[in-house]
Amino acid sequence: MNKLKMAASALALCAMAVPASAEDVKVGVISILEGAFAALGQDGIRGAELAVLETGGEVDGNKIEVITMSSDASPDSAVNAARKLIEQDGVDIIVGPLSGSEGLALRDLSKSYPGVTFLNGSSAAQDTTLRDSSDNFYRFGGDGAQWMVGVGDYAFNDMGYKSVAVIAEDYSFPYTQVLGFMTEFCEAGGKVPEKFWTPIGNKDYSSVVYSIPQDVDALFVALGGADAVNFLTQYSQAGGEKPIIGGSITIDQSILDSKGPFKKLLVGAPAGTPTVGDYDGDEWKAFTASYTEAFPDGFSAPSIFAHHYYMSAKAAMLALDEVDGDLSDDHAAFRAALNDLTFTTPTGGTMRLDKNRNGVIDNFVTEVYEREDGSLGNRVVKVVRDVDQLLGQDEEVFLASGPVSRDNPSCP
Amino acid sequence: MKQAFILIPLLILPFVLNDFWLTQVATRSLILGIMALSLSFLATYLGVVSFAQATMAGIAGYTIAFFGPNTVGIGVPLPFWVSIPLALVLATVSGALVGLIARRSRGIYAIMITLAIGVAFFYFTRQNYTFFNGWTGFSGVRAPEIAGLSLRDPLPLYLLSLGMAALALALVSGFVRSPLGLTIQAVRDAPGRVLALGVSITTPIVAAFAFSGLLAGAGGILNVWYQERISSFSVGLGPIIDILIISVIGGLRHPGGAFVGAVVFVLLDTFAVDLIDRERFNTLIGVVLLLIVIVAPGGLQQLASDWMARLRRPEVKEKSTVRANS
């Protein structure tokens, strides 16, 4: 054992003997590069790299070095990845992570490393920035509630749904999504008599399918990936005919392309999302063009992950440019620049931060439509600009309603 | 005596290594080694491979998180001199319970029962919000401060883990020589004969599992201080398999093998990503582990001692020929 340790210390000395030149700025990017999310996590990395590519790899003569690390969707692995980037690779800035609970873990970790600036990737739990926020943790994007803004209103007023049952996975991100939907829907006068929380990776939804009340007008389904496919398949096989309302990751193109028997249920289904692949805004078209040019092996359009990692890395590059790449004084000037930063996002809005360092974003209400060739796609029905984390409410009222959970919010 | 010599370079390590190497590699190896030791103890002396060690470690970790400072607002803060013994007791009791459930099973059946317990506990922590806070778990768990010195600082945590590892090894080697330890080995070799002698085999099996629970619990406490958080992911299939891999590549024939395995595992886990394309590093880890199992079926510890023996043998021969000539 001691021999191995001696070899380890010899290796350590070698590692320490290569100091970076003073002007280099090291950016660590944490994303999920293993397991079920690997393809999506890779797209997050592409987004961050695209922002660096746009600067030509240097800001005011300071070389930007990007170092990527993988996590496996668990908070522990995100923390380990961040520690390695900081302590071993000596990064100045971290962009990431991808999923909700990882974001909460890095928010806590950032308090132990005041000399490093953290920019959230695409994780969207509410409390990452709202409660117990950290001075060096920034989110140039929204949380899961902001991503649902516009949908509750649309469902009540345009679709005429008065009563909706909720089916969602049992963890922080879907809680936040349900809050975003119910805040508007309940305020408009809608009722949510029943909420079903299912474990992630659940295969058998029959108990849920048969418990759905007969008198609801629609179902709000906040499930992701295979969970959404399994639920929708079992629901339509059981003869279910209630219309669907989707969460931000429920009705993506891969579900629309699948051969499930549930496709007829989805036509006309509204959903909320900050990223629409074939949005026809000018800025988005330009963003998609530079994405496909830089990454010919990427997706046909940037995913929600590429979009959000891009905005965070872009913010870091812009703020670096403002301070001429000077990160001395524990990033004081750099963080001041981040706090005051405004820039035009790929969706054409103006990104800026609130006092908790959370983004004010654009959000889309989309609906599923049938193309001429019979395939399904999502199209934009409404763009809501300048959505903040308090969903337009008074801060004290919003905070007094407490952290999101299975039972909060409630309007039976 | 021999073990004492190994301690000297380990005590010098903090002067040679920077904080990253000391904490992320050395301390993490020691902590994982202690957890793996709880498995290799069972495998070596009772002949049972248990997949429930991460559960026992997790119970200790969750106890520390629930009864200590955390940032999720769940639990009852207790002073650390109450919560630490409580965590160890609960881990030991959980070990005894696992032993009681699995006492009649051997080989693949014991693996399946303990795996079922481990996975059931994983899903329970994920669904229960009153004690385990579900998916998110506990964050902001702080190690106690003694005289203004946080036990989470690199040097104190390293020395504590080192001390705990040495103590665990000493405990194991003392325990297996005690009458109870010898009975446990007798149960491994010939349970029928032990029964014929009129000795119950339930007690030694439960005692062995309880003892392994104590070891796993000690590792679990250090792990929750090191990670500063615990969640369902910390007791899932990933950690369960990690502990098995560490024990197997280290070698199940000597308790020290767990630590050899842990060092190799942590080095691979930390640096594979630097050696190869970031998208393929899990392949590298898999290939190296496969090679170790093929080249050294008895584990790395066994491989090393074989080599040492081979190096020594020629010397012995030479001496004997000299004697013959004279």
Side-chain angles (χ1 to χ4, degrees):
Chain A
M1 178 159 63
N2 55 339
K3 283 195 177 158
L4 274 165
K5 291 260 164 136
M6 293 308 264
S9 41
L11 268 171
L13 288 171
C14 300
M16 284 185 290
V18 213
S21 80
E23 300 89 38
D24 279 6
V25 176
K26 288 190 178 180
V27 181
V29 184
I30 299 175
S31 187
I32 301 176
L33 301 178
E34 48 197 294
F37 281 101
L40 299 170
Q42 186 62 34
D43 208 42
I45 303 268
R46 286 190 200 109
E49 281 177 347
L50 184 60
V52 176
L53 277 178
E54 282 178 359
T55 65
E58 59 173 49
V59 173
D60 300 322
N62 303 288
K63 233 175 122 271
I64 308 290
E65 188 187 342
V66 176
I67 305 169
T68 55
M69 265 308 274
S70 170
S71 66
D72 62 9
S74 75
D76 296 7
S77 70
V79 165
N80 273 334
R83 283 203 181 117
K84 174 167 187 291
L85 285 171
I86 296 167
E87 295 183 10
Q88 177 66 12
D89 299 322
V91 298
D92 308 291
I93 298 165
I94 284 184
V95 176
L98 187 139
S99 77
S101 294
E102 293 181 290
L104 291 168
L106 284 200
R107 188 271 320 263
D108 284 337
L109 184 78
S110 69
K111 293 176 181 172
S112 310
Y113 293 102
V116 179
T117 300
F118 291 71
L119 296 112
N120 180 58
S122 57
S123 89
Q126 186 185 41
D127 279 348
T128 312
T129 51
L130 187 63
R131 289 181 184 83
D132 206 12
S133 65
S134 168
D135 291 340
N136 52 337
F137 192 98
Y138 293 78
R139 174 153 67 193
F140 283 90
D143 68 14
Q146 288 170 277
W147 292 356
M148 288 310 295
V149 163
V151 179
D153 187 51
Y154 182 80
F156 189 87
N157 292 321
D158 295 63
M159 310 291 284
Y161 303 147
K162 306 294 177 221
S163 171
V164 167
V166 168
I167 296 99
E169 283 149 345
D170 196 2
Y171 72 103
S172 54
F173 172 66
Y175 296 162
T176 313
Q177 290 247 287
V178 170
L179 169 83
F181 172 74
M182 284 179 62
T183 301
E184 277 180 9
F185 187 69
C186 298
E187 199 175 276
K191 296 279 174 231
V192 178
E194 194 99 52
K195 285 182 265 183
F196 299 95
W197 301 107
T198 60
I200 216 170
N202 192 22
K203 302 282 181 294
D204 183 3
Y205 290 89
S206 49
S207 64
V208 174
V209 168
Y210 293 111
S211 314
I212 292 170
Q214 283 304 308
D215 56 352
V216 295
D217 300 319
L219 307 178
F220 174 53
V221 182
L223 304 170
D227 287 357
V229 174
N230 284 335
F231 172 75
L232 292 171
T233 306
Q234 292 171 26
Y235 181 65
S236 68
Q237 278 170 352
E241 284 176 340
K242 305 274 185 206
I244 302 292
I245 303 165
S248 299
I249 57 169
T250 308
I251 311 179
D252 63 0
Q253 195 59 44
S254 63
I255 288 195
L256 295 179
D257 289 343
S258 68
K259 298 270 182 281
F262 50 79
K263 283 173 81 165
K264 64 178 188 328
L265 280 177
L266 289 178
V267 176
T273 174
T275 310
V276 179
D278 49 4
Y279 177 52
D280 60 359
D282 293 338
E283 292 87 354
W284 185 260
K285 281 183 182 158
F287 178 56
T288 306
S290 66
Y291 169 89
T292 43
E293 193 197 326
F295 307 106
D297 58 342
F299 298 147
S300 60
S303 68
I304 190 169
F305 304 105
H307 178 198
H308 282 78
Y309 275 76
Y310 171 82
M311 288 197 292
S312 285
K314 174 95 180 163
M317 295 304 120
L318 290 171
L320 269 179
D321 185 38
E322 213 152 288
V323 297
D324 302 324
D326 179 16
L327 291 175
S328 59
D329 196 19
D330 267 354
H331 296 206
F334 174 62
R335 284 177 197 164
L338 280 176
N339 283 325
D340 297 334
L341 199 64
T342 55
F343 63 95
T344 307
T345 63
T347 49
T350 307
M351 173 59 73
R352 59 196 183 278
L353 297 179
D354 64 15
K355 70 178 175 52
N356 287 331
R357 294 162 298 284
N358 189 76
V360 178
I361 65 161
D362 295 334
N363 202 47
F364 297 94
V365 179
T366 61
E367 69 168 5
V368 179
Y369 72 108
E370 196 163 2
R371 298 197 186 103
E372 279 173 11
D373 59 0
S375 66
L376 299 183
N378 272 312
R379 70 179 165 209
V380 175
V381 292
K382 193 157 83 172
V383 186
V384 189
R385 303 265 181 211
D386 301 329
V387 178
D388 68 4
Q389 197 175 21
L390 303 173
L391 309 177
Q393 296 186 11
D394 184 56
E395 184 178 355
E396 272 180 30
V397 177
F398 191 74
L399 286 176
S401 57
V404 288
S405 69
R406 289 171 168 184
D407 306 319
N408 182 37
S410 165
C411 63
Chain B
M1 275 318 285
K2 216 173 82 185
Q3 284 87 338
F5 285 113
I6 297 176
L7 270 180
I8 294 170
L10 288 177
L11 284 171
I12 296 172
L13 269 188
F15 299 101
V16 190
L17 299 182
N18 65 7
D19 279 357
F20 170 76
W21 277 86
L22 191 64
T23 310
Q24 297 285 98
V25 178
T27 305
R28 190 166 164 230
S29 303
L30 287 167
I31 294 172
L32 287 174
I34 295 171
M35 292 197 215
L37 176 63
S38 77
L39 171 59
S40 51
F41 162 77
L42 276 182
T44 311
Y45 297 107
L46 187 63
V48 169
V49 175
S50 159
F51 276 43
Q53 302 312 109
T55 302
M56 302 172 199
I59 284 174
Y62 269 115
T63 310
I64 293 290
F66 188 83
F67 291 111
N70 63 58
T71 54
V72 297
I74 289 177
V76 187
L78 289 178
F80 68 86
W81 45 267
V82 180
S83 63
I84 293 173
L86 185 64
L88 289 174
V89 167
L90 287 179
T92 310
V93 170
S94 71
L97 283 176
V98 173
L100 208 56
I101 296 169
R103 68 184 185 279
R104 291 186 203 283
S105 322
R106 282 293 165 111
I108 192 99
Y109 302 102
I111 289 177
M112 285 181 67
I113 285 189
T114 50
L115 180 63
I117 293 170
V119 173
F121 182 68
F122 164 68
Y123 278 107
F124 183 63
T125 58
R126 185 161 277 196
Q127 307 264 319
N128 179 290
Y129 281 77
T130 328
F131 299 111
F132 298 101
N133 200 28
W135 172 283
T136 310
F138 292 88
S139 56
V141 181
R142 296 266 173 264
E145 286 190 12
I146 296 173
L149 187 72
S150 167
L151 292 183
R152 179 58 182 81
D153 287 345
L155 187 59
L157 189 65
Y158 172 74
L159 292 177
L160 189 66
S161 306
L162 184 60
M164 192 52 74
L167 183 65
L169 278 174
L171 269 180
V172 168
S173 72
F175 186 67
V176 298
R177 283 187 209 131
S178 71
L180 183 57
L182 291 170
T183 320
I184 289 170
Q185 293 168 69
V187 170
R188 170 197 63 192
D189 293 335
R193 287 196 204 176
V194 175
L195 273 176
L197 285 172
V199 179
S200 151
I201 63 165
T202 306
T203 318
I205 291 177
V206 172
F209 269 95
F211 182 69
S212 85
L214 177 70
L215 295 177
I221 294 174
L222 290 170
N223 195 41
V224 75
W225 287 347
Y226 161 76
Q227 300 278 4
E228 297 184 302
R229 54 171 302 105
I230 188 164
S231 65
S232 54
F233 294 98
S234 321
V235 295
L237 210 51
I240 289 176
I241 290 174
D242 287 351
I243 290 177
L244 178 75
I245 288 175
I246 291 168
S247 304
V248 170
I249 61 175
L252 290 170
R253 290 186 199 166
H254 186 280
F259 294 93
V260 179
V263 171
V264 173
F265 178 83
V266 168
L267 285 175
L268 260 180
D269 190 47
T270 314
F271 294 106
V273 85
D274 291 330
L275 296 176
I276 194 171
D277 182 2
R278 305 264 156 167
E279 295 155 52
R280 308 269 181 271
F281 70 93
N282 273 328
T283 316
L284 179 74
I285 295 179
V287 167
V288 171
L289 296 181
L290 197 62
L291 279 178
I292 291 175
V293 175
I294 291 172
V295 175
L300 288 176
Q301 205 270 337
Q302 183 70 28
L303 188 70
S305 44
D306 285 354
W307 279 351
M308 297 296 271
R310 218 174 285 171
L311 284 176
R312 272 182 207 147
R313 214 168 294 145
E315 268 177 60
V316 178
K317 265 185 194 164
E318 220 170 63
K319 268 182 197 163
S320 58
T321 47
V322 171
R323 253 183 225 157
N325 285 344
S326 62

